[in-house]
């Protein structure tokens, strides 16, 4: 507990309270000018019922000198206001402890939210651990509206109506109110009283939802969340998730608020405000679940943005917020205005609502430490508060906190004695040291076995190594938030808060080139302090669908005015004067035919061109688009998706009291021994409360506050500002030379640095590309390679690209020899040159370094181009028989020669397919050229980053660690193969593994794996069928990608994905076979279909899991004016300890599916149903996942093309498990006929025809009779919950 004072005295008591999962922090301003700070356990039922109310009671009692018994309601007349942030909603979502609820959804879509966007969250997780859906029951609502299309040739026989966005609609099917009432009553009878309603196109036509909501309330539902009310934005899936989250969480919040308010007399007169996810406060009766997810951390962002951006009245400087807690670290950015995102995924639930862009990385004080196959790793698993780290003496694991304790950075004497089994012991440094001694022995055993010449490591070197790796893990998201968006990291201030951040802030700032760290006086409770400084905010938003042009400006102005008046009235009703209220209008803008929308404010209108009265929004959009993506599209119309008004009632103009200036040197409390890069150093220890304005101390030293410990590293200097904050100037530090010999700590750091280069290349490519495939679907990969072309780092995004680009680079080395010059860039896509399929264009750039005659590294990017010519639009013809029918084909072409982009040459190549019969050249040359330039730019970024790394460490060291990283991956794979060989020998007596499976045309894929005791293996595909006349031939690069993918899945923890993964592997592929086709063989199906069967064969041989659907269900339809392509989910295979996931993409694809509302808005089709195909997963001790049923009604004549598999051979079960169901393609004609289509087919469809797709289920695992099915354990969500725009970007890229 802390007492201080404020500059301006409040009228009554003011309480700002951050109720976290473990602690509740309270910042209170008293009428006498005193500031009180209290930290309580959030749950302590033996002492109090509610932590925030208990803190208020204690402060009132002590300050007023009047007893306030715990058993009596508190007198609210003493309180001016209470502001609260809470993790109640977040914890309920993470732990799945919200209100029992049901979902009412359009008939045919009962499983839409289970399927979601059909992608899996973790590429290499065979168990596909996905949090459960929030609802317990589903009501299918008969009644359907569809968007009106002028070209539609269906007879819908219904009048045209206009939606709220201006879009035209037709009611296809009227509501069945009688059936709806019966279904609602049946759900209510189960004891479920909360309901979420999401009907297709309700963002613009909400009448049907209102009818459902009214009826639900009539029959007795206590809470109803209509998606059209909660967040009326287009896209049914995220809008449905948002409504579900609201129905699941709002009743919990209301119960908490009711319980909290019941502890006060005259609670109706009490002014209580809650922090929302967008960083604004709202009255407690308007606080809802969908806007509460970031209620806790949002206060911290408000706190540092208010206090650090213009620190001490200085020049504005952008700030990185660094909030390091026990489980994870939150990273955010502020540069004058809050950075909001409008669609994020938390705990498996995608929520549409304004949220601060707070990004979470799995590295906190409680992050667990691992040593695996020679690599140090930190997190993502966390020890939590209980049992906590080893030093808590409760049987917990080694963590980052233990490392800091062993290094002398935490001093037990300054911590309360609240640890141990009876909560009465100090932090135990002895136990932490003992645990590190065991781990150090493990590390040294590995070192002596693998690098005998290397000296053993000490306990302190190992602990310090883990701290350095944790720091590097936290640097990566900061680089992505800054450099990844075009900002210079070094020009930011690092604002450090949270209990653990002060121990790492100097090292992180130094690693990022930042020179200033700010630790606020209240850094340990900054989220609570931020609540005291926050504004009250009212958000109003509605969907729109107009083009931003002069004819729509009057409409936009009228809607902005209406939303503004509504919002201003809301704040005036809360007591704000009009002069204290500001409104900021936004338009959610995007270029037509793109999905990348930006929420834009306006600049004052100019006389040069017409604009809305509320300002020039286009100017802001163009500027931001140019900044974030590096280009604009001048001739493309700009579409308004949403109109938003953010109205703010100004909060307290609070200013803390200025501290007296120092008149003497600060008092050194003690001198500790702390470990830094050059060993133990004498480290002065200071108490922050004993320091004042003007005090300055040089590192190394430690400054201890009540709620945090600040480590000031050598070559840094900390000073106390006039308000009592700690400002640290960070020096460059002593340069520690890294040699070429293997150092296991540096190995982990270089692993991060190499991967960061590949990730940042990807950011540049995404920013500068123009096509939907690369810019929005993120269908690309970036990688770096050694001078021999061996893969060093490949950001793990596209499974079929893994390892494949290595073949492409090595082909060019052999093909061009020494004909690489600085300024050259190579283009290639041929299967024999390391290509996967022709639309994947690979751009390769050599990296030259002064003094080296040959390239010292290579960088490359591979992107899927939407069209490169050939038989059909999209360059993926289902019936191709020759390679030339699939588009442009290039083995080696200098795209850039001596620094000059060869536009005419590459244009000629892209148009060349037109010379073949029935083929066309590229149908979108502009996008091809723009995306190729973007790939060149991404490679240029990679070159700059590689050279910077060499400048920092030296060429010899960087190349040495390139080899060490590759060798480490080989060690990890060998360790896994040794384990498999040992198990196989025990069970079968030998170490040979075999498997065979068949393509639908009967072609076998046969594999024999011979594993040696040393962990080497031969993958022999002898016996695989001959190449086929169709397009299911798979190039060697695809085979290698499938093998790397399988190995990475079976290793089951993060390893570097590089050439080393295949070092223990010898691959034998018979020539002119399905897996080694001739030069002119068609291959497009090999990339999307045969790759899946390859994975099934490998996993069958290793017994890893049953077969998944083994298909991508590629579906294309279109005509001369429009084309649409999708892949469709199915069932995942079960494994030794898990049920297969239903309705999800598996293995070599992870593509997202288009939202139903976007599909129907843009294309001439109606999605009739999309749901699980129940009972199609194979039965077993663990059941396979179900496939899906997807039905599409065509609105005009078009061509439908299909590429699919598993229509003849079912996905296999394993170890006694049953097979999954086969898939089926059926065309139901408008005339009433049913036609079963072959797995590869092209047919003409007419208006009213229905394509009925049934995708395969996954195989079961284990005999169903061995154990009751209920014994199976479904994986729980981890404690670490990633969130923010970086997490969304990762999910998007991994689902491309």
């Amino acid at each position: 507990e802390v007492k201080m004072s404020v500059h301006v005295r409040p009228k009554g008591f003011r309480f700002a309270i951050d109720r976290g999962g473990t602690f509740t922090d309270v910042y209170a301003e008293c009428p006498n000018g005193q500031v009180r700070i209290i930290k309580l356990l959030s749950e302590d039922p033996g002492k109090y019922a509610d932590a925030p109310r208990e803190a208020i009671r204690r402060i009132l009692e002590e300050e007023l000198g009047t007893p306030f018994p715990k058993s009596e309601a508190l007198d609210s007349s003493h309180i001016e206001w209470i502001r609260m942030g809470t993790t109640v909603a977040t914890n309920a979502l993470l732990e799945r402890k919200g209100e029992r609820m049901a979902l009412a959804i359009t008939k045919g879509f009962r499983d839409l939210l289970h399927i979601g966007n059909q992608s899996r969250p973790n590429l290499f997780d065979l168990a596909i651990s996905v949090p459960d859906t929030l609802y317990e029951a589903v009501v299918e609502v008969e009644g359907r509206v569809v968007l009106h299309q002028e070209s539609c040739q269906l007879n819908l026989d219904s009048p045209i109506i206009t939606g709220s966005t201006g879009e035209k609609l037709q009611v296809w099917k009227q509501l069945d109110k009688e059936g709806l009432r019966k279904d609602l009553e049946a759900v209510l009878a189960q004891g479920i009283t909360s309901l979420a309603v999401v009907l297709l196109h309700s963002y613009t036509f909400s009448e049907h939802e209102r009818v459902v909501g009214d009826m639900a309330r009539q029959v007795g539902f206590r809470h109803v969340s209509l998606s059209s009310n909660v967040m009326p934005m287009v896209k049914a899936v995220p809008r449905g998730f948002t409504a579900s989250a609201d129905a699941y969480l709002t009743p919990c919040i209301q119960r908490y608020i009711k319980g909290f308010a019941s502890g006060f007399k005259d609670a109706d007169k009490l002014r209580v405000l809650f922090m929302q996810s967008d960083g604004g406060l709202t009255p407690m009766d308007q606080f809802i679940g969908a806007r509460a997810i970031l209620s806790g951390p949002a206060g911290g962002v408000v706190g540092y943005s208010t206090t650090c951006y213009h620190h001490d009245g200085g020049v504005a400087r952008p700030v990185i917020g660094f909030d390091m807690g026990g489980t994870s670290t939150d990273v955010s950015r502020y540069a004058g205005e809050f950075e909001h995102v409008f669609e994020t995924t938390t705990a498996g639930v995608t929520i549409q609502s304004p949220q601060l862009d707070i990004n979470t990385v799995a590295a906190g004080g409680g992050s667990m430490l691992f040593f695996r196959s020679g690599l140090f790793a930190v997190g993502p698993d966390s020890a939590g508060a209980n049992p906590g780290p080893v030093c808590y003496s409760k049987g917990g694991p080694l963590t980052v906190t233990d490392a800091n304790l062993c290094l002398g950075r935490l001093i037990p004497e300054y911590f309360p004695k609240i640890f141990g089994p009876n909560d009465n012991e100090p932090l135990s440094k002895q136990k932490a040291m003992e645990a590190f001694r065991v781990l150090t022995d493990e590390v040294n055993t590995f070192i002596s076995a693998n690098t005998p010449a290397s000296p053993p490591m000490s306990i302190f070197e190992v602990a310090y190594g883990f701290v350095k790796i944790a720091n590097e893990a936290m640097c990566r998201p900061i680089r992505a938030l800054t450099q990844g968006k075009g900002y210079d990291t070094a020009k930011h201030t690092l604002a450090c808060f949270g209990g653990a951040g002060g121990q790492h802030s100097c090292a992180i700032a130094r690693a990022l080139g930042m020179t200033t760290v700010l630790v606020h006086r209240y850094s340990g409770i900054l989220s609570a302090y931020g609540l005291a400084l926050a504004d009250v905010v009212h958000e109003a938003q509605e969907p729109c669908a107009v083009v931003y042009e002069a004819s729509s400006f009057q409409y936009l102005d009228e809607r902005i005015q209406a939303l503004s008046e509504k919002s201003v009235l809301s704040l005036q009703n809360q007591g704000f004067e009009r002069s204290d209220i500001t409104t900021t209008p936004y338009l959610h803008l995007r270029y037509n035919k793109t999905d990348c929308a930006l929420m834009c404010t306006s600049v004052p209108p100019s006389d040069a061109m017409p604009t809305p009265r509320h300002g020039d929004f286009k100017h802001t959009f163009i500027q931001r688009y140019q900044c974030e993506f590096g280009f604009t599209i001048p001739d493309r119309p700009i579409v308004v998706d949403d109109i938003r008004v953010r109205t703010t009632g100004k909060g307290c103009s609070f200013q803390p009291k200025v501290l007296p200036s120092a008149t003497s040197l600060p008092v050194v409390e003690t001198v500790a021994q702390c470990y830094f890069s050059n060993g133990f150093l004498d480290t002065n220890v200071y108490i922050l409360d004993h320091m004042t304005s003007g005090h300055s101390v040089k590192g190394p030293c430690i400054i201890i506050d009540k709620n945090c410990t600040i480590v000031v590293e050598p070559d840094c200097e900390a000073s106390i500002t006039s308000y009592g904050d700690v400002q640290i100037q960070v020096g460059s530090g002593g340069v520690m030379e890294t040699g070429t010999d293997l150092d296991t700590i540096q190995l982990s750091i270089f692993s991060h640095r190499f991967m960061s280069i590949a990730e940042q290349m990807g950011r540049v490519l995404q920013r500068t590309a123009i096509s939907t495939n690369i810019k929005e679907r993120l269908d690309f990969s970036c990688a770096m390679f050694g001078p021999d072309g061996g893969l060093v780092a490949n950001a793990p995004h596209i499974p079929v690209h893994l390892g494949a680009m290595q073949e492409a680079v090595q082909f060019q080395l052999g093909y061009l020899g020494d004909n690489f010059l600085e300024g050259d860039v190579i283009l290639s896509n041929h299967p024999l040159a390391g290509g996967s399929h022709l639309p994947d264009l690979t751009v390769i750039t050599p990296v030259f370094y002064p003094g080296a005659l040959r390239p010292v590294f290579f960088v490359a990017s591979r992107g899927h181009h939407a069209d490169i010519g050939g038989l059909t639009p999209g360059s993926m013809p289902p019936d191709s028989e020759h390679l030339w029918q699939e588009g442009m084909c290039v083995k080696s072409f200098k795209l850039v020669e001596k620094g000059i982009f060869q536009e005419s040459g590459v244009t000629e190549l892209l148009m060349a397919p037109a010379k073949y019969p029935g083929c066309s050249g590229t149908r979108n040359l502009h996008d091809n050229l723009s995306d190729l330039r973007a790939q060149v730019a991404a490679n240029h970024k990679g070159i700059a980053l590689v050279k910077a790394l060499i400048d920092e460490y030296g060429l010899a060291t960087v190349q040495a660690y390139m080899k060490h990283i590759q060798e480490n991956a080989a060690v990890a794979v060998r360790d896994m193969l040794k384990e498999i060989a040992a198990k196989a020998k025990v069970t079968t007596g030998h170490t040979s593994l075999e498997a065979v499976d068949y393509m639908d045309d009967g072609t076998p894929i046969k594999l024999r794996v011979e594993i040696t005791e040393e962990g080497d293996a031969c993958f022999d595909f002898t016996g695989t069928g001959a190449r086929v006349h169709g397009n299911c031939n798979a190039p060697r690069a695809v085979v290698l990608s499938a093998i790397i993918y399988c190995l990475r899945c079976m290793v089951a923890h993060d390893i570097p994905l590089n050439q080393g993964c295949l070092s223990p592997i010898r691959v034998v592929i018979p020539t002119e076979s399905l897996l080694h086709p001739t030069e002119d063989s068609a291959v497009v199906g090999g990339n999307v279909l045969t790759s899946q069967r390859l994975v099934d064969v490998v996993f069958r041989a290793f017994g890893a899991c049953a077969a998944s659907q083994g298909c991508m269900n590629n579906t294309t339809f279109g005509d001369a004016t429009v084309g649409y392509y999708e892949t469709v989910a199915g069932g995942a295979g079960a494994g030794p300890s898990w049920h297969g996931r239903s309705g999800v993409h598996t293995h070599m694809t992870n593509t997202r599916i288009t939202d139903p509302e976007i599909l129907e808005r843009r294309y001439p089709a109606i999605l009739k149903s999309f749901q699980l195909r129940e009972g199609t997963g194979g039965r077993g001790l663990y059941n396979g996942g179900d496939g899906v049923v997807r039905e599409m009604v065509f609105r005009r004549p078009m061509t439908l093309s299909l590429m699919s598999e598993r229509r003849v051979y079912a996905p296999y079960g394993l170890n006694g498990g049953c097979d999954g169901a086969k898939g089926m393609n059926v065309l139901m004609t408008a005339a009433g006929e049913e036609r079963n289509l072959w797995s590869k087919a092209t047919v003409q469809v007419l208006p009213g025809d229905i394509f009925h797709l049934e995708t395969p289920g996954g195989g079961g695992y284990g005999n169903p009779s061995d154990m009751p099915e209920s014994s199976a354990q479904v994986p729980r969500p981890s404690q670490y919950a990633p969130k923010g725009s970086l997490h969304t970007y990762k999910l998007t890229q991994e689902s491309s």
Side-chain angles (χ1 to χ4, degrees), residues 1006-1279:
K1006 190 173 183 180
L1007 172 65
R1008 180 182 179 87
V1009 182
E1010 295 280 356
I1011 309 176
T1012 69
E1013 292 183 0
E1014 291 76 27
D1016 292 303
C1018 176
F1019 282 60
D1020 188 349
F1021 289 94
T1022 300
T1024 295
R1027 73 181 179 97
V1028 296
H1029 193 53
N1031 59 27
C1032 282
N1033 304 291
R1036 174 182 168 84
V1038 171
V1039 178
L1040 297 182
S1041 295
I1043 291 173
I1044 283 188
Y1045 168 79
C1046 293
L1047 293 172
R1048 170 61 185 83
C1049 289
M1050 291 186 290
V1051 168
H1053 60 79
D1054 281 343
I1055 62 170
L1057 291 165
N1058 58 45
Q1059 172 182 270
C1061 293
L1062 288 177
S1063 291
I1065 309 298
R1066 186 167 67 92
V1067 182
V1068 177
I1069 306 174
T1071 57
E1072 297 198 15
S1073 69
L1074 182 74
L1075 307 181
H1076 197 310
T1078 56
E1079 185 167 350
D1080 66 338
S1081 298
V1083 298
V1084 68
N1087 187 67
V1088 297
L1089 297 175
T1090 310
S1091 62
Q1092 295 283 53
R1093 191 68 79 262
L1094 274 164
V1095 171
D1096 283 343
V1097 171
V1098 173
F1099 282 145
R1100 189 174 205 169
F1102 281 86
C1105 61
S1108 295
Q1109 70 157 335
C1111 179
M1112 298 186 191
N1113 304 295
N1114 302 267
T1115 304
T1116 308
F1117 66 81
D1119 56 20
T1121 62
V1122 69
Y1124 175 73
Y1125 169 72
E1126 70 180 17
T1127 61
V1128 186
S1137 61
W1138 68 84
H1139 294 298
R1141 172 79 177 175
S1142 299
V1144 70
H1145 259 325
T1146 52
H1147 301 324
M1148 299 302 280
T1149 186
N1150 201 26
T1151 318
R1152 293 186 177 191
I1153 200 158
T1154 305
D1155 189 272
E1157 292 175 347
I1158 299 296
L1159 171 66
E1160 294 186 3
R1161 181 190 256 188
R1162 296 184 183 174
Y1163 301 99
I1166 298 171
L1167 190 60
K1168 186 179 179 185
S1169 70
F1170 187 32
Q1171 55 197 25
L1172 296 181
R1173 188 183 169 206
E1174 292 185 354
T1176 53
R1179 296 283 295 168
L1181 175 60
Y1182 297 96
N1183 297 328
D1186 291 335
V1188 305
V1189 176
R1190 188 168 170 89
E1191 288 188 331
M1192 198 132 18
V1193 183
F1194 299 104
R1195 304 183 75 161
R1196 67 182 197 227
M1198 280 181 292
T1199 301
L1200 171 69
S1201 296
L1202 308 173
M1203 290 177 63
S1204 57
E1205 275 285 325
R1206 291 292 192 199
R1207 270 54 179 172
V1208 177
Y1209 293 92
Y1212 62 80
L1214 206 61
N1215 285 3
C1218 300
D1219 292 347
K1222 292 175 281 190
M1224 184 178 290
N1225 308 325
V1226 179
L1227 183 67
M1228 303 174 178
T1229 69
E1233 299 178 8
E1234 283 195 14
R1235 293 162 55 190
N1236 192 349
L1237 304 178
W1238 175 235
S1239 55
K1240 287 88 179 166
T1242 298
V1243 296
Q1244 301 303 310
V1245 294
L1246 298 174
D1249 286 355
I1250 299 173
F1251 173 50
H1252 175 92
L1253 171 66
E1254 297 182 8
T1255 70
Y1261 189 98
N1263 194 312
S1265 62
D1266 284 353
M1267 193 182 298
E1269 182 185 318
S1270 61
S1271 65
Q1273 296 296 311
V1274 178
R1276 298 269 315 187
S1278 68
Q1279 296 172 335

Side-chain angles (χ1 to χ4, degrees), residues 573-892:
N573 290 337
Q574 296 177 44
F576 283 93
E577 296 294 332
R578 182 63 184 89
S579 58
D580 292 329
I581 298 173
T582 58
T583 60
T584 307
Y586 295 82
L587 295 182
H588 206 196
L589 303 175
R590 62 178 171 84
Y591 282 118
N592 191 31
K593 297 182 180 178
T594 73
D595 288 329
C596 193
L598 299 175
M599 192 67 77
C600 298
T601 55
S602 64
V603 297
S606 66
D607 297 331
M609 60 181 64
T611 66
R613 281 189 297 105
H614 289 88
D616 186 350
F617 295 89
K618 181 179 178 180
H619 178 86
T620 305
F621 175 73
I622 298 297
Q623 271 197 333
R624 282 191 56 194
Y625 209 92
Q626 178 71 45
C627 176
E628 291 200 27
F629 305 123
F631 67 94
T632 59
I633 315 176
D635 300 325
R636 188 81 61 91
I638 297 171
V639 178
V640 184
D641 272 346
D642 301 279
I643 304 168
R644 171 186 170 221
V645 174
R646 183 176 174 88
T647 307
T648 302
K650 295 305 293 180
C652 308
S653 56
F654 172 76
Q655 189 161 351
K657 189 175 181 179
V658 175
L659 296 184
S661 297
T663 57
S664 60
L665 295 175
V667 176
V668 177
E669 301 293 327
T670 186
V671 178
Q673 287 288 300
C674 284
Y675 192 94
F676 295 97
S677 57
N678 48 356
F680 278 102
L681 298 175
D682 288 342
T683 305
N684 291 342
V685 177
Y686 303 92
I687 303 297
L688 183 57
D689 280 350
H690 299 169
M691 303 175 77
T692 190
S693 174
H695 273 150
S696 181
V697 291
K698 292 186 176 181
C701 66
I702 292 175
I703 301 174
I704 296 177
D705 190 16
K706 291 288 191 299
N707 298 307
C708 69
T709 298
I710 303 165
V711 176
V712 182
E713 297 209 348
D715 199 27
C716 297
E717 185 170 354
S719 57
I720 309 301
T721 69
S722 57
Y723 295 136
D725 306 329
V726 180
Q727 180 170 313
I728 306 174
Q729 292 305 123
V730 181
S732 59
V735 177
M736 294 291 294
E737 288 198 8
T738 302
T740 57
D741 293 337
L742 175 63
D743 178 295
T744 51
I745 297 168
Q746 289 296 335
L747 182 71
S748 298
I749 290 173
F750 269 100
S751 176
H752 278 286
R753 294 295 293 271
F754 288 146
M755 190 62 76
S756 181
I757 290 172
E759 289 171 349
Q760 290 189 64
M761 287 174 64
R763 281 284 181 166
V764 171
L765 179 51
Q766 187 257 346
R767 283 178 52 223
T768 55
I770 196 171
S771 71
T772 298
N773 262 5
I774 294 179
K775 182 167 210 60
E776 291 158 16
R777 290 185 61 243
L778 308 187
D779 192 351
F780 63 81
S781 286
C782 297
M784 63 179 292
F785 307 83
D788 61 350
L791 179 65
V792 177
N794 187 159
H797 297 137
I798 314 299
V800 81
H801 291 177
L802 291 175
M805 279 196 284
Q806 172 177 303
E807 294 277 304
V809 176
Q810 290 178 333
F811 175 87
Q812 299 303 325
L813 276 167
Y815 189 82
L816 294 174
D818 291 331
N819 191 20
F820 283 106
L821 299 174
E822 192 161 9
D824 288 353
V825 181
I826 313 302
L827 171 66
S828 174
N829 72 337
H830 197 291
L832 291 189
S836 46
H837 65 165
L838 296 186
D840 282 346
L841 303 188
T842 305
V843 173
I844 303 164
T845 309
V847 181
F848 288 88
Y849 194 75
L853 299 177
R854 298 170 58 85
V856 295
F857 281 95
F858 290 87
V859 291
S861 54
R862 175 171 286 182
H864 184 119
H865 287 241
D867 196 289
I868 54 164
L871 284 176
T872 60
S875 305
M876 293 185 67
D879 53 353
S880 56
E881 298 172 353
H882 303 283
L883 191 64
W884 51 263
Q885 294 173 317
E886 296 176 358
M888 178 189 75
C889 189
V890 180
K891 283 186 179 177
S892 183

Side-chain angles (χ1 to χ4, degrees), residues 388-686:
V390 169
C391 60
Y392 282 19
S393 301
K394 291 185 178 181
L398 266 179
T399 68
V400 173
T401 295
D402 293 307
N404 279 315
L405 181 63
C406 290
L407 297 173
R409 297 166 175 228
L410 295 175
I411 304 175
E413 292 80 1
Y414 292 93
F415 281 77
K417 295 182 179 180
I418 56 172
F419 306 100
N422 299 316
D423 300 329
N424 60 353
E425 298 177 19
L427 283 174
S428 177
K429 186 171 182 177
Q430 179 184 349
K431 284 188 170 73
M433 292 286 287
E434 289 170 357
F436 263 111
R437 189 170 288 109
V438 172
L439 182 58
T440 302
D441 288 344
E442 181 185 338
V443 171
N444 287 330
T445 299
F446 178 89
I447 291 173
S448 63
N450 290 274
T451 54
S454 299
M457 296 181 70
S458 71
I459 290 174
F460 305 106
E461 288 172 327
V462 169
Y464 186 65
F466 277 112
V467 169
K468 290 175 69 175
I469 286 135
N471 291 341
E472 184 57 39
M474 291 181 281
C475 285
R476 277 173 70 177
I478 296 174
R479 290 191 188 103
L481 266 184
T482 51
Q483 295 172 14
K485 294 186 177 182
Y487 307 117
D488 185 350
T489 314
K491 292 182 178 178
H492 291 68
T493 294
L494 188 68
C496 171
F497 56 108
Q503 299 149 46
H504 299 258
S505 56
C506 286
I508 286 172
R510 180 175 284 150
L512 294 168
M514 301 163 82
T515 57
T516 305
V517 173
L518 272 173
V519 185
H520 193 271
R521 183 80 181 188
Y522 301 133
S523 65
I525 58 140
L526 195 62
S527 290
Y529 184 61
L531 292 166
L533 305 177
D535 296 325
V536 179
V537 170
H538 185 276
E539 288 265 1
Q541 183 169 320
E542 64 181 36
C544 185
V546 303
V547 175
Y548 185 88
E549 58 188 8
S551 61
S552 62
F553 290 164
Q554 182 179 345
Y555 171 78
L556 293 173
D557 279 325
E558 289 172 354
R559 297 315 307 153
I560 290 171
Q561 188 65 32
L563 293 176
S564 298
E565 290 173 359
K566 174 184 174 183
S567 299
V568 168
L569 182 60
S570 173
L571 291 186
Q572 285 178 325
N573 290 337
Q574 296 177 44
F576 283 93
E577 296 294 332
R578 182 63 184 89
S579 58
D580 292 329
I581 298 173
T582 58
T583 60
T584 307
Y586 295 82
L587 295 182
H588 206 196
L589 303 175
R590 62 178 171 84
Y591 282 118
N592 191 31
K593 297 182 180 178
T594 73
D595 288 329
C596 193
L598 299 175
M599 192 67 77
C600 298
T601 55
S602 64
V603 297
S606 66
D607 297 331
M609 60 181 64
T611 66
R613 281 189 297 105
H614 289 88
D616 186 350
F617 295 89
K618 181 179 178 180
H619 178 86
T620 305
F621 175 73
I622 298 297
Q623 271 197 333
R624 282 191 56 194
Y625 209 92
Q626 178 71 45
C627 176
E628 291 200 27
F629 305 123
F631 67 94
T632 59
I633 315 176
D635 300 325
R636 188 81 61 91
I638 297 171
V639 178
V640 184
D641 272 346
D642 301 279
I643 304 168
R644 171 186 170 221
V645 174
R646 183 176 174 88
T647 307
T648 302
K650 295 305 293 180
C652 308
S653 56
F654 172 76
Q655 189 161 351
K657 189 175 181 179
V658 175
L659 296 184
S661 297
T663 57
S664 60
L665 295 175
V667 176
V668 177
E669 301 293 327
T670 186
V671 178
Q673 287 288 300
C674 284
Y675 192 94
F676 295 97
S677 57
N678 48 356
F680 278 102
L681 298 175
D682 288 342
T683 305
N684 291 342
V685 177
Y686 303 92

